[in-house]
Amino acid sequence: MAKGKDVRVTISLECTSCVRNDIKKESAGISRYITQKNRHNTPSRLELRKFCPYCYKHTIHGEIKK
């Protein structure tokens, strides 16, 4: 059976409000989560409300490239 592209892929979610505050991408001050998504069900970029320990509140975390 051919393997092909995996339907479930691992993605990274990054806090959008920390990025807007001009914090460098390499710094440890950006909240990131790792999760999985199904390509067939959600082909577009994923956005979830998660807790950011650097902002001390729930913010929108968007999918980023690896």
Side-chain angles (χ1 to χ4, degrees):
M1 193 161 130
K3 197 164 189 180
K5 287 190 174 183
D6 292 332
V7 175
R8 272 215 173 269
V9 291
T10 304
I11 59 167
S12 296
L13 300 173
E14 184 177 85
C15 179
T16 55
S17 63
C18 287
V19 174
R20 281 192 216 127
N21 292 335
D22 296 330
I23 298 173
K24 292 182 182 176
K25 294 257 186 196
E26 297 83 24
S27 71
I30 295 179
S31 172
R32 288 196 175 143
Y33 286 93
I34 297 173
T35 187
Q36 290 183 340
K37 80 169 188 177
N38 188 324
R39 276 191 214 192
H40 294 304
N41 294 341
T42 53
S44 60
R45 289 196 180 260
L46 189 63
E47 286 188 343
L48 297 173
R49 269 182 66 107
K50 305 284 265 174
F51 181 76
C52 178
Y54 303 103
C55 299
Y56 297 108
K57 58 184 175 182
H58 282 84
T59 58
I60 296 176
H61 285 65
E63 182 179 338
I64 59 169
K65 290 183 181 177
K66 282 197 170 185

